[in-house]
Amino acid sequence: MSRLLDVAKKAYFTVRRRVTPAERTLSAQTTQPTQTTLPAQTTQLPPTLTTRVHTKKVSAIAFFKDARRVVTGSWDCTVQIWDVEKRALVGGPFEGHNDYVDSVAVSPDDRRIASGGGDGAIIIWDVESKEMVFKPLVKHTGRVLSVCFSPDGKRLPSGSWDETVIIWDAETRAVLSTLRGWGAVFSVAFSPDGQKLAHGSLRSIWVWSLIDNAELLFDIDGHDDWVSSVVWSPDSQQVVSASHDKTIKFWDSSNGTQIGRPCTGHTDCIESLAISSDGSFIATASLDHTVQLWSTKSHQQIGQPLEHTAWVLCVAISPSEESLVSGDFGGNLQLWSVENTLSTAFGMNSSYVVYFAHRCKVKLGRNLYAEALSDADKVIELNLVSYLGYELKHAALHGALRYDDAFEAFKTMLSKLDNASGADMQKLRQKYVSASEVLETAVRRAIPVQLENTPLRLINTSIGRLCNRDAQINAFIESTEYKELLSPSIMHGPLQMEPVKEAVAKYFSWVMLSHRWEIKEPRLHDIQGRDIYDLDPVGTVQKLQKFCKIARDAGHHWAWSDTCCIDQDNNVELQQSVISMFIWYHYSALTIVYLSDVPPSSKLGALANSIWNTRGWTVQEFLAPKIVLFYQSDWTLYLDHCSRNHKQSVNIMRELEHSTGINEWALVNFRPGTRDAREKLQWASNRDTTREEDIAYSLFGIFDVNLPVIYGEKRQKALGRLLQEIIAHSGDITALDWVGQSSHFNSCLPADISSYKAPSYTLPSLSEDEMQNLVSTLRNTVAVELASNLYTLLENISVPRFANARLQLPCIAFPLTQVRRSTGGDGDKCFTYEVKADRLQDLLVTTEDKLVQFSPVWRTRQTFLLVRPWNRYDLGLINFADEIEDRPGPGSSSDDTLGGYPEHSEPATRELRLIVRLGQPFGALLLAQQWGGEYKRIASDNNIIAQVRDMTSVGGMMDVRMLEIL
């Protein structure tokens, strides 16, 4: 066997080393490669380019993915990169081999090339730097005849005359495996799926599995001479081999069975083989001085041979299938137009259509829409009755954003399918029509969902006109975005609803304006039916124009301003707008805050001092939106802060926190609702509104309440209705914590929002150690049964109810036993009284009301009470609504007075903890009984802080009531 192998090697080198007169001439030349020359016209199809690229034979060639550059290897020991469009050397020469370069390969990312040489070394080069990535890979003991990258670029197999294939880690240069066959390895090729490797040697093709460890699947004894080249079909189902026996054969990659008959026609050894990216044809290079194309379907030759003047040693097909390059023994590179070659071979038959259709798809995949459109038009020209060309044309036009033309191409495609015969064509048409109808229905359904939280009127920022809902929808239907959605580019797969919803939401996104009203703001009647950009740009009109332009430049079609987008004379629309305004700001894509009194280049602090920061409506206008940008008077960004959202600016949010009293968490993450009512009321306590009722109406969205808007009802009634709704909805009695004058709406409510300016009175809390010590003390002094009865009574008492301006308040009552005027106070304006109440420590009360003085000696018919409003938090129960909040709240605080507690092992612990809490100071209300048995609150200028005299007597002395307060 070894003698036979030696004979084979000698025969091979005899063929490879034959020297022709042309070679002798070339070997004597020492000049650099010549300039590019165009070939003379002959009866044969000429190449589009012939250029001498090496001083010795071109032994290897490969295309980059960009289809413009090729890398060549030569027996002059160099590697070069050529731009075949510019016809220029763009990389190299790469010099590092000590002997012939027999093979080259390009990595999938086009960033590296590999070369194998007669010196037994493999070199990986960095394309950009033109340097070696690392030292040459040297393990082979013979010439490296072939290299290739794996599909992911991480592995590099090399085949050698030493009868081995080595698989290298292309990133670490480590040897991953060594495969040993029989005979020199002329060619190696990875399957496109990366799972198999094929190599060719003497008469045979070897196929290996690389899924886990390298394992030989089978070898095929399929040729009569050396297998010089192997390639895979794009689907990895076939292996194609070319041999010095002048044949090309096709093999089933799963079992090695031959497929069809061989391709025959060459008159000398075949040295190289390449396959098109769609797998429809192959090209072979031969020592008979020709390159030939073959159909992979029929295995027939395509057209006439492409001729060289010397042996052709290598061939490659561009990924776009537009070009074919071949290298010969004379150091020449020839470039051929695949289109021209196929045109000459096929003329106008269907095979040519298939080529252009595939090339069009390749260009679509590379986003080359103009070139793809040209190929689609050629498909149409070659087959006028087929739907295929119009399908491709639609895709190209859609990609080029020419949606009107794309839709026309789509309709033409459907008409071609109408005229096509066969059940398959009709099914295809129905598929397209059904998908189109489903898509349009989906778009139509997405519109009202998106408009549900959209303002009633918006300004179209493109045309400057005010539009109602119908006009907004009509603008969308006529828009490029709508045509893009309906252009059925995605109909080959399942309809995806999310992209539809996202596209509709993006189109209808709007920008809100928050600003301080000025004199002569443009109203609805001033802009209706007019282009705002055509109005005289002075004063507040210029503000509106600038706002709309900024919204437009930010990519938004719609903008809203409260000055002109609400019909102030329509009470129904006005009420709907007031109730919905928080929602509009919340769902806006952007809210622009215009600070007309903040000059350009202002420093930190200017926002805090702006009059905008004192207005009632602006509270919800910066709490509700997710994205806010602050603009100075010249419409430049505040502090030159160029982020997309000023709510992400730590400096701006801290400035607002300090100036408004609203904590930074709420500024960024605010959630509407009645929770933490007292805190929210304090936020608005120092705000002003032009119309007195608006101080309440501007808080509707913040508290998420839905109440009628009744301009003319006055401030006290508007505020009273709001507070009544808050307490009735939530049972939160913290809104009763205020100082000042009582409201005519209900005496337990303040007359003005400013009564909430003072921070809520915070009672001193007990540490857990203090609590446990007091509980231990009470165990010996308090009857457990009495404590348990009190706990049960308070646990089951009804929550506060508020309706028709009457408050039903659960409380613990302490009757007054003495009221005596003190010598302090402000005379006739304010009075201070010494007050004694049953079971409470004595205290002072300051009020503008003149109280009836009495004592146990001088009694009065009117009953006065100090009451402790009952708060269920004092039971120590966990408020589960608080548990799901993202930030600490009253129910989740670690404060002993408010927090929830774990289970207690000792009996009556929770009841005794309640007694301890009831023994602590509390905020009391002073009530006076009325003629009908109801009570009224007597307002105080200070918080009334009371405390029981003796904690140990709490359990049996508590007077728990439900009082009705007017």
Side-chain angles (χ1 to χ4, degrees):
M1 178 65 69
S2 61
R3 290 186 61 192
L4 178 61
L5 197 56
D6 290 339
V7 171
K9 289 181 180 180
K10 290 179 180 179
Y12 171 74
F13 277 116
T14 300
V15 173
R16 297 285 284 196
R17 293 185 177 275
R18 280 186 293 183
V19 180
T20 65
E23 184 185 18
R24 293 192 189 96
T25 303
L26 290 170
S27 63
Q29 294 176 347
T30 57
T31 58
Q32 294 297 316
T34 60
Q35 295 296 316
T36 299
T37 58
L38 292 175
Q41 295 293 324
T42 68
T43 55
Q44 296 291 329
L45 181 69
T48 57
L49 166 69
T50 298
T51 185
R52 186 141 184 255
V53 295
H54 286 280
T55 58
K56 293 185 179 180
K57 70 178 185 178
V58 180
S59 52
I61 193 166
F63 261 103
F64 283 77
K65 288 291 187 298
D66 61 17
R68 292 181 51 183
R69 293 173 296 164
V70 295
V71 57
T72 58
S74 170
W75 275 29
D76 64 8
C77 306
T78 67
V79 175
Q80 298 183 1
I81 299 176
W82 293 85
D83 188 314
V84 294
E85 289 187 7
K86 296 180 179 178
R87 305 183 181 188
L89 177 68
V90 293
F94 296 80
E95 297 177 332
H97 286 284
N98 298 322
D99 203 339
Y100 310 136
V101 176
D102 283 312
S103 55
V104 292
V106 181
S107 66
D109 60 6
D110 279 359
R111 297 172 62 184
R112 294 171 297 165
I113 54 177
S115 57
D119 52 6
I122 301 102
I123 299 177
I124 300 178
W125 308 86
D126 180 81
V127 173
E128 184 175 355
S129 68
K130 302 178 177 60
E131 299 291 337
M132 295 182 190
V133 175
F134 29 63
K135 293 180 180 180
L137 311 178
V138 180
K139 286 290 182 181
H140 287 292
T141 58
R143 296 171 58 188
V144 177
L145 302 174
S146 180
V147 291
C148 72
F149 280 96
S150 62
D152 60 7
K154 294 181 179 180
R155 292 170 289 175
L156 181 76
S158 57
S160 169
W161 188 257
D162 65 8
E163 305 183 7
T164 66
V165 175
I166 296 179
I167 301 178
W168 308 82
D169 187 313
E171 297 175 347
T172 67
R173 71 191 303 268
V175 174
L176 301 176
S177 11
T178 301
L179 314 180
R180 298 188 181 277
W182 186 81
V185 179
F186 278 70
S187 177
V188 291
F190 246 110
S191 62
D193 60 16
Q195 297 183 358
K196 296 178 182 179
L197 181 78
H199 79 258
S201 59
L202 180 61
R203 294 193 298 267
S204 60
I205 303 101
W206 299 61
V207 179
W208 304 78
S209 170
L210 300 179
I211 296 177
D212 293 316
N213 296 321
E215 177 185 1
L216 179 64
L217 296 177
F218 49 81
D219 64 287
I220 308 166
D221 189 10
H223 286 277
D224 297 329
D225 207 332
W226 296 100
V227 178
S228 56
S229 190
V230 291
V231 296
W232 291 80
S233 61
D235 60 7
S236 299
Q237 299 302 306
Q238 294 184 40
V239 176
V240 188
S241 60
S243 171
H244 285 179
D245 66 6
K246 310 169 192 175
T247 65
I248 305 103
K249 295 183 179 181
F250 298 78
W251 312 94
D252 187 320
S253 65
S254 64
N255 55 28
T257 303
Q258 186 171 344
I259 301 172
R261 62 182 184 179
C263 299
T264 58
H266 280 294
T267 60
D268 207 334
C269 300
I270 301 173
E271 293 293 314
S272 180
L273 167 66
I275 190 167
S276 62
S277 59
D278 68 342
S280 63
F281 67 94
I282 58 175
T284 53
S286 170
L287 298 184
D288 64 8
H289 295 199
T290 68
V291 172
Q292 295 191 24
L293 273 58
W294 312 84
S295 167
T296 56
K297 183 176 182 181
S298 67
H299 299 185
Q300 295 292 316
Q301 184 176 337
I302 300 173
Q304 296 297 314
L306 309 178
E307 295 187 350
H308 275 255
T309 59
W311 293 344
V312 189
L313 304 175
C314 51
V315 66
I317 302 170
S318 69
S320 64
E321 297 185 6
E322 293 182 278
S323 304
L324 180 150
V325 291
S326 50
D328 66 21
F329 200 91
N332 297 309
L333 180 147
Q334 290 193 177
L335 176 70
W336 311 83
S337 166
V338 174
E339 179 180 340
N340 292 342
T341 304
L342 296 181
S343 174
T344 302
F346 295 131
M348 300 293 281
N349 75 10
S350 60
S351 297
Y352 202 25
V353 172
V354 172
Y355 165 72
F356 279 116
H358 173 73
R359 196 171 79 172
C360 179
K361 293 175 183 177
V362 171
K363 291 176 179 176
L364 287 172
R366 297 172 59 195
N367 299 330
L368 301 174
Y369 300 116
E371 293 90 335
L373 180 60
S374 175
D375 283 347
D377 285 335
K378 288 176 182 176
V379 174
I380 294 171
E381 180 184 354
L382 291 167
N383 193 341
L384 294 172
V385 299
S386 172
Y387 78 95
L388 178 61
Y390 291 98
E391 181 184 44
L392 295 170
K393 185 172 184 176
H394 160 263
L397 290 167
H398 182 274
L401 309 182
R402 293 168 55 182
Y403 300 116
D404 289 335
D405 295 335
F407 198 70
E408 291 303 316
F410 176 70
K411 290 193 294 185
T412 305
M413 182 195 72
L414 291 182
S415 69
K416 297 298 180 183
L417 288 171
D418 278 338
N419 299 326
S421 59
D424 290 343
M425 290 295 100
Q426 293 308 309
K427 287 181 181 179
L428 182 61
R429 184 190 187 283
Q430 186 58 40
K431 173 186 174 182
Y432 272 117
V433 171
S434 299
S436 179
E437 291 172 349
V438 169
L439 183 58
E440 184 169 7
T441 301
V443 173
R444 295 282 184 169
R445 287 178 177 174
I447 293 173
V449 173
Q450 176 61 26
L451 293 179
E452 182 179 355
N453 297 315
T454 303
L456 305 176
R457 290 185 179 85
L458 289 166
I459 299 172
N460 188 318
T461 60
S462 298
I463 61 176
R465 291 186 176 273
L466 189 66
C467 297
N468 59 19
R469 287 282 175 84
D470 290 339
Q472 294 168 39
I473 294 172
N474 289 336
F476 175 57
I477 292 174
E478 296 173 1
S479 70
T480 299
E481 289 86 347
Y482 180 74
K483 292 168 184 174
E484 179 183 5
L485 271 178
L486 290 190
S487 184
S489 62
I490 58 173
M491 290 184 182
H492 293 294
L495 177 62
Q496 300 294 323
M497 287 302 300
E498 282 308 309
V500 172
K501 293 177 182 177
E502 290 172 4
V504 172
K506 181 179 179 181
Y507 179 84
F508 285 105
S509 65
W510 67 95
V511 180
M512 300 286 282
L513 176 64
S514 175
H515 65 122
R516 166 73 169 99
W517 275 50
E518 301 172 62
I519 300 174
K520 294 183 179 179
E521 292 279 358
R523 300 299 184 94
L524 178 73
H525 63 270
D526 295 320
I527 71 166
Q528 198 156 29
R530 305 176 68 180
D531 182 345
I532 65 164
Y533 300 128
D534 290 340
L535 301 177
D536 191 11
V538 295
T540 55
V541 171
Q542 187 179 34
K543 173 172 67 174
L544 179 64
Q545 292 170 335
K546 192 67 177 178
F547 161 63
C548 290
K549 288 178 181 177
I550 289 177
R552 180 191 62 195
D553 293 344
H556 301 287
H557 296 286
W558 307 101
W560 185 91
S561 172
D562 55 356
T563 60
C564 56
C565 293
I566 301 175
D567 186 351
Q568 307 280 347
D569 299 325
N570 185 325
N571 288 333
V572 174
E573 181 178 332
L574 184 60
Q575 170 151 324
Q576 184 177 357
S577 299
V578 170
I579 293 172
S580 304
M581 205 170 295
F582 185 94
I583 296 294
W584 295 347
Y585 276 97
H586 179 70
Y587 285 101
S588 66
L590 167 66
T591 291
I592 288 177
V593 177
Y594 178 60
L595 308 171
S596 59
D597 56 349
V598 174
S601 304
S602 291
K603 303 299 182 183
L604 197 65
L607 168 60
N609 297 323
S610 172
I611 195 171
W612 171 88
N613 208 20
T614 67
R615 307 304 299 170
W617 283 105
T618 59
V619 178
Q620 73 169 0
E621 292 172 9
F622 67 78
L623 285 178
K626 300 182 185 75
I627 300 177
V628 174
L629 290 176
F630 292 90
Y631 283 84
Q632 301 170 135
S633 60
D634 65 345
W635 290 96
T636 57
L637 287 168
Y638 180 55
L639 302 182
D640 291 326
H641 197 288
C642 296
S643 73
R644 64 180 297 270
N645 186 5
H646 283 170
K647 283 198 171 187
Q648 296 175 349
S649 167
V650 174
N651 288 337
I652 294 177
M653 289 302 100
R654 284 179 180 171
E655 181 179 359
L656 271 181
E657 180 178 25
H658 294 154
S659 63
T660 63
I662 304 174
N663 65 74
E664 189 174 343
W665 187 96
L667 288 171
V668 177
N669 305 290
F670 179 77
R671 297 176 182 176
T674 54
R675 185 177 184 271
D676 298 334
R678 179 60 173 78
E679 182 183 11
K680 294 171 183 174
L681 291 167
Q682 185 182 355
W683 296 346
S685 62
N686 58 355
R687 299 273 169 165
D688 298 317
T689 57
T690 302
R691 303 179 75 164
E692 60 180 293
E693 299 90 349
D694 279 344
I695 197 62
Y697 300 163
S698 66
L699 299 176
F700 283 5
I702 287 175
F703 287 104
D704 194 20
V705 299
N706 192 343
L707 294 171
V709 175
I710 311 171
Y711 282 110
E713 66 175 331
K714 302 301 181 182
R715 176 188 294 107
Q716 288 194 28
K717 187 173 182 181
L719 181 59
R721 288 193 300 115
L722 171 64
L723 297 174
Q724 173 180 267
E725 183 70 10
I726 292 170
I727 296 172
H729 182 269
S730 66
D732 183 357
I733 58 172
T734 59
L736 306 183
D737 180 9
W738 52 269
V739 293
Q741 294 183 341
S742 293
S743 169
H744 298 311
F745 182 83
N746 184 282
S747 63
C748 255
L749 304 179
D752 192 271
I753 194 78
S754 61
S755 292
Y756 292 108
K757 279 185 180 180
S760 177
Y761 180 76
T762 303
L763 298 173
S765 62
L766 294 174
S767 68
E768 184 60 23
D769 288 341
E770 291 173 323
M771 170 63 77
Q772 291 181 5
N773 290 334
L774 289 171
V775 168
S776 298
T777 302
L778 290 176
R779 287 190 187 281
N780 301 320
T781 57
V782 174
V784 173
E785 182 179 358
L786 292 177
S788 179
N789 291 339
L790 178 60
Y791 189 98
T792 302
L793 179 62
L794 291 173
E795 185 178 27
N796 293 316
I797 194 170
S798 297
V799 297
R801 296 190 298 273
F802 210 150
N804 300 318
R806 289 173 175 259
L807 171 63
Q808 304 290 327
L809 181 67
C811 59
I812 301 172
F814 302 89
L816 265 61
T817 59
Q818 178 176 310
V819 175
R820 188 173 67 179
R821 184 173 173 181
S822 175
T823 56
D826 295 331
D828 296 334
K829 295 183 179 180
C830 191
F831 308 95
T832 300
Y833 295 92
E834 298 175 0
V835 174
K836 296 180 182 292
D838 190 20
R839 304 184 304 279
L840 294 180
Q841 298 177 13
D842 297 346
L843 65 156
L844 297 176
V845 174
T846 302
T847 177
E848 293 183 4
D849 293 338
K850 184 177 290 187
L851 302 183
V852 176
Q853 300 186 65
F854 65 93
S855 70
V857 179
W858 300 286
R859 295 188 179 276
T860 177
R861 294 181 179 179
Q862 190 174 18
T863 300
F864 292 89
L865 300 176
L866 275 173
V867 301
R868 175 176 186 151
W870 175 240
N871 188 337
R872 284 183 60 82
Y873 285 127
D874 287 340
L875 288 173
L877 300 175
I878 295 174
N879 185 340
F880 294 104
D882 293 337
E883 290 293 295
I884 62 174
E885 289 286 344
D886 291 337
R887 67 185 181 98
S892 58
S893 171
S894 60
D895 185 285
D896 183 72
T897 303
L898 302 177
Y901 298 96
E903 292 293 330
H904 301 288
S905 57
E906 297 185 66
T909 297
R910 65 173 187 172
E911 289 82 358
L912 294 176
R913 294 178 79 101
L914 172 63
I915 298 299
V916 171
R917 291 185 212 106
L918 293 178
Q920 303 308 304
F922 63 91
L925 305 182
L926 178 59
L927 304 180
Q929 190 176 36
Q930 305 301 297
W931 179 81
E934 308 93 341
Y935 287 82
K936 277 193 172 184
R937 177 176 177 177
I938 298 174
S940 173
D941 287 348
N942 297 288
N943 288 303
I944 301 175
I945 307 302
Q947 186 175 10
V948 298
R949 289 197 190 97
D950 182 5
M951 186 186 303
T952 60
S953 63
V954 167
M957 300 172 59
M958 292 292 104
D959 181 5
V960 180
R961 306 188 194 182
M962 178 71 79
L963 299 180
E964 183 173 9
I965 305 175
L966 303 178

